[in-house]
């Protein structure tokens, strides 16, 4: 069908960086677009496609190559090698894909929604005269911080303990993303994050997985310079108690979730009695930290559901799972949204990855923030001091959060009087997140505007 025809459905390619925390929000966004009449196709790397454990539901998938079709990042051996080769091979294979789709009558591409971890996605879009929409998977605050480093307005290494960035509260150096605060700790990561801005002024849209009320000041500041639109949270609406979309299958998981075991176990627990513990798809805990966490969970005397990825399992204290089997369940991966949406869950010990932060907030779960690295310290700062939906744990001089501190924080957010405000705020933010994505809410209007510009490019 021709462009300009009323029935014409624009076609967007969705290009996430191949990591769980990036694919999840971009997949959910593509479903939201599909619901509004846009054709969307997820583009994954060939290796990732082979490893997908659950279907992407109704969204079609195409593949490109990162140069490591048999093992992805593990095959590359280092992040530097991976990023370099992806940059060499990726644009060519994306170009080939667009050419192929161009030649098939009804699949020609109109727009690429790309993860700025892959800034060349925009260059390819522009080569073909397509709309290029950047999609930030981290918070607007974190994006703003990296941008100020990119511009040279935050000088590294940081020497000041009071950092002022427009649109943000005054931050201490330890509230900065770890790649900045611990300068030199992960140069490749920092380079990827700063390179996000190398061609931002050419982007037709800058979409951010956040919502206006959550990050109002920084969104408004950024929107003075770029076409910024907050479109989140990208939580499937079924988890927000509103069946806005037919998005029953939210599934995409690189790791295989232990869904039945988790659900059965949760069904047998009392309302709000369970501590859910997870550190996302990448973070690694020191052995000592794992031991303290295990001791803390045991000392809390509460039920717990703990996600310990297979690669972390050997760090668990010997026999811990057996000894605590009456109170706890340890799984290697879970359906996190289903868990957070379950009535039995009362709090979330989290690393504060941006998805986990938004998911907890959208489902009204108070959090105990134990940030590990990357953007997580900044997210934890906002959770504890700005949105006040959780408490940030204090580490000792060795950087370890001790068992007693874990118990103190868990008790505070679940039972303590001191935590009453946190629990109330968690409910308040849940309502605001829901309002944003509900029909006519701020994020919904932004998505409508984006869709309408794709459908009527000349108006
Ligand atoms: C990474 C970074 O660490 C994070 O800080 C950044 O903002 C995004 O990329 P990750 O560490 O995996 O992501 O954390 P997070 O952003 O929380 O994403 C994890 C995703 O995996 C969430 O959507 C969560 O629902 C899902 N998950 C996690 C599961 O489905 N099951 C699990 O057992 C654990």
């Amino acid at each position: 069908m021709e462009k300009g025809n009323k029935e014409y459905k624009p076609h967007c390619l969705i290009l996430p960086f191949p990591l769980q925390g990036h694919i999840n929000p971009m997949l959910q966004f593509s479903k939201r677009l599909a619901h509004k009449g846009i054709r969307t196709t997820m583009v994954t790397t060939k290796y990732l496609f082979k490893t997908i454990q659950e279907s992407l539901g109704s969204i079609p998938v195409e593949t490109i190559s990162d140069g490591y079709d048999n093992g992805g990042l593990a095959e590359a051996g280092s992040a530097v090698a991976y990023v370099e080769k992806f940059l060499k091979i990726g644009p060519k294979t994306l170009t080939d894909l667009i050419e192929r789709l161009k030649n098939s009558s009804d699949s020609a591409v109109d727009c690429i929604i790309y993860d700025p971890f892959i800034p060349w996605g925009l260059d390819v879009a522009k080569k073909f005269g397509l709309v290029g929409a950047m999609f930030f998977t981290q918070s607007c605050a974190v994006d703003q911080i990296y941008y100020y480093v990119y511009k040279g307005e935050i000088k590294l290494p940081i020497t000041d303990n009071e950092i002022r960035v427009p649109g943000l509260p005054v931050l201490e150096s330890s509230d900065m993303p770890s790649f900045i605060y611990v300068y030199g700790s992960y140069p490749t990561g920092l380079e990827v994050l700063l390179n996000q801005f190398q061609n931002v002024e050419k982007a037709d849209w800058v979409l951010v997985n956040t919502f206006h009320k959550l990050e109002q000041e920084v969104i408004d500041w950024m929107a003075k310079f770029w076409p910024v639109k907050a479109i989140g949270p990208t939580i499937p609406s079924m988890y927000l108690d509103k069946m806005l979309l037919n998005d029953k299958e939210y599934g995409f998981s690189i790791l295989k979730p232990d869904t039945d075991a988790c659900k059965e176990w949760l069904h047998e627990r009392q309302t709000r009695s369970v501590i859910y513990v997870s550190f996302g798809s990448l973070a690694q805990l020191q052995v000592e930290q794992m031991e303290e966490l295990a001791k803390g969970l045991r000392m809390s005397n509460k039920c717990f559901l703990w996600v310990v990825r297979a690669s972390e399992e050997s760090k668990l204290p010997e026999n811990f799972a057996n000894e605590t089997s009456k109170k706890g369940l340890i799984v290697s991966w879970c359906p996190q949204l289903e868990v957070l949406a379950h009535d039995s869950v009362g709090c979330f010990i989290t690393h504060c990855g941006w998805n986990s932060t938004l998911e907890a907030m959208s489902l009204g779960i108070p959090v105990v923030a134990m940030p590990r690295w990357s953007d997580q310290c900044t997210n934890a700062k906002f959770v504890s001091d700005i949105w006040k939906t959780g408490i940030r744990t204090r580490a000792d001089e060795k950087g370890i959060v001790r068992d007693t501190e874990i118990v103190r924080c868990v008790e505070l957010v679940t039972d303590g009087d001191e935590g009453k405000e946190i629990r109330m705020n968690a409910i308040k933010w849940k309502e605001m997140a829901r309002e944003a994505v509900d029909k006519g809410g701020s994020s919904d209007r932004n998505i409508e505007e984006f869709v309408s510009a794709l459908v009527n490019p000349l108006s």
Side-chain angles (χ1 to χ4, degrees):
M1 185 161 312
E2 294 294 309
K3 282 188 193 178
N5 185 310
K6 266 196 352 224
E7 305 295 312
Y8 181 75
K9 285 186 166 191
H11 184 196
C12 292
L13 292 187
I14 316 277
L15 181 65
F17 193 79
L19 287 174
Q20 186 79 65
H22 291 238
I23 296 162
N24 280 5
M26 293 187 78
L27 173 63
Q28 296 315 327
F29 183 62
S30 76
K31 290 189 177 178
R32 211 152 274 187
L33 290 180
H35 177 71
K36 291 188 184 284
I38 301 290
R39 280 179 302 154
T40 56
T41 300
M42 288 295 287
V43 180
T44 74
T45 57
K46 288 187 192 311
Y47 172 67
L48 191 74
F49 186 63
K50 284 186 213 161
T51 65
I52 289 176
Q53 299 284 350
E54 287 180 52
S55 87
L56 297 184
S58 43
I59 303 293
V61 186
E62 293 282 353
T63 56
I64 58 169
S65 178
D66 52 13
Y68 297 102
D69 296 347
N70 296 315
L73 188 55
E75 187 188 349
S78 76
V80 184
Y82 184 81
V83 170
E84 267 179 19
K85 198 148 182 191
F86 201 3
L87 175 62
K88 236 186 238 161
I89 310 274
K92 164 89 178 72
T93 58
L94 181 61
T95 300
D96 292 347
L97 170 64
I98 294 170
E99 293 282 8
R100 179 162 63 73
L101 294 172
K102 202 162 112 189
N103 295 330
S104 77
S105 60
D106 62 348
S107 296
V109 178
D110 299 279
C111 167
I112 300 182
I113 301 176
Y114 68 97
D115 187 331
F117 275 33
I118 314 175
W120 45 260
L122 181 59
D123 302 332
V124 175
K126 290 297 144 195
K127 194 170 81 185
F128 284 96
L130 307 176
V131 175
M134 197 174 192
F135 186 108
F136 278 114
T137 62
Q138 299 192 333
S139 77
C140 213
V142 166
D143 303 331
Q144 173 85 328
I145 291 171
Y146 282 123
Y147 181 57
Y148 271 72
V149 175
Y150 176 77
K151 286 209 303 182
E153 292 192 20
I154 299 177
K155 303 248 179 301
L156 300 185
I158 289 176
T159 47
D160 235 353
N161 196 32
E162 276 195 359
I163 296 138
R164 288 166 203 278
V165 179
L168 303 185
V170 177
L171 298 170
E172 290 180 19
S173 51
S174 57
D175 300 327
M176 291 283 116
S178 69
F179 306 155
I180 294 173
Y181 171 48
V182 194
Y183 184 52
S185 60
Y186 191 17
T188 313
L190 183 58
E191 197 182 318
V192 166
L193 282 145
L194 300 185
N195 280 345
Q196 296 185 107
F197 301 98
Q198 67 186 27
N199 51 7
V200 58
E201 66 291 338
K202 291 195 203 129
D204 299 294
W205 298 87
V206 176
L207 309 174
V208 193
N209 186 18
T210 185
F211 58 100
H212 192 247
K213 278 193 178 155
L214 190 66
E215 299 201 89
Q216 195 157 345
E217 237 180 284
V218 64
I219 294 172
D220 290 346
W221 177 273
M222 263 195 192
K224 290 187 207 162
F225 308 101
W226 304 325
V228 170
K229 299 284 164 196
I231 53 73
T234 57
I235 315 290
S237 49
M238 62 181 285
Y239 292 102
L240 301 175
D241 303 341
K242 297 249 172 164
M243 296 299 288
L244 293 177
L245 323 177
N246 181 18
D247 56 2
K248 281 217 168 61
E249 3 85 307
Y250 73 86
F252 170 78
S253 204
I254 296 174
L255 300 167
K256 191 163 173 47
D258 227 335
T259 306
D260 292 342
C262 291
K263 277 188 177 165
E264 268 168 39
W265 187 86
L266 283 172
H267 285 328
E268 286 164 18
R269 310 293 133 189
Q270 293 187 343
T271 308
R272 302 270 164 251
S273 68
V274 172
I275 312 171
Y276 168 56
V277 191
S278 168
F279 292 85
S281 62
L282 299 169
Q284 298 173 359
L285 267 63
Q286 306 98 308
V287 174
E288 193 175 358
Q289 183 59 81
M290 200 85 155
E291 284 166 0
E292 291 295 324
L293 184 51
K295 279 197 280 171
L297 289 173
R298 198 199 291 250
M299 264 166 66
S300 77
N301 208 23
K302 290 184 184 294
C303 296
F304 62 86
L305 170 56
W306 187 1
V307 177
V308 180
R309 298 189 314 274
S311 53
E312 293 281 286
E313 210 179 294
S314 63
K315 299 177 187 169
L316 272 172
E318 220 180 310
N319 261 331
F320 177 75
N322 281 340
E323 284 166 18
T324 53
S325 63
K326 283 209 175 76
K327 284 271 179 191
L329 177 68
I330 298 177
V331 294
S332 58
W333 195 247
C334 79
Q336 180 160 302
L337 279 166
E338 291 190 49
V339 168
L340 289 173
H342 201 286
D343 278 352
S344 302
V345 173
C347 84
F348 182 12
I349 302 184
T350 170
H351 67 315
C352 283
W354 185 236
N355 296 292
S356 294
T357 303
L358 276 181
E359 289 164 12
M361 185 172 277
S362 305
L363 294 161
I365 304 295
V367 313
V368 172
M370 267 183 76
R372 303 289 87 196
W373 70 326
S374 185
D375 57 335
Q376 298 153 16
C377 296
T378 318
N379 300 338
K381 159 76 182 172
F382 277 77
V383 162
S384 61
D385 296 353
I386 312 295
W387 305 317
K388 300 193 169 133
T389 57
I391 183 164
R392 183 173 174 175
T393 51
R394 294 186 211 119
D396 68 5
E397 62 291 345
K398 276 178 76 187
I400 303 289
V401 179
R402 295 292 162 195
D403 52 2
T404 46
E405 171 68 356
I406 289 161
V407 175
R408 179 186 78 85
C409 293
V410 165
E411 282 178 354
L412 193 143
V413 300
T414 53
D415 311 317
D417 266 356
E418 227 189 305
K420 212 168 173 183
E421 193 196 338
I422 289 177
R423 294 191 289 279
M424 277 163 54
N425 282 335
I427 303 295
K428 197 180 87 187
W429 279 109
K430 172 182 173 175
E431 292 307 323
M432 288 197 268
R434 189 178 301 181
E435 260 171 45
V437 294
D438 210 347
K439 198 159 176 44
S442 59
S443 294
D444 185 62
R445 288 199 309 274
N446 284 339
I447 300 173
E448 286 286 349
E449 195 183 320
F450 176 63
V451 166
S452 156
L454 285 178
V455 174
N456 310 299
L458 299 176
S459 64

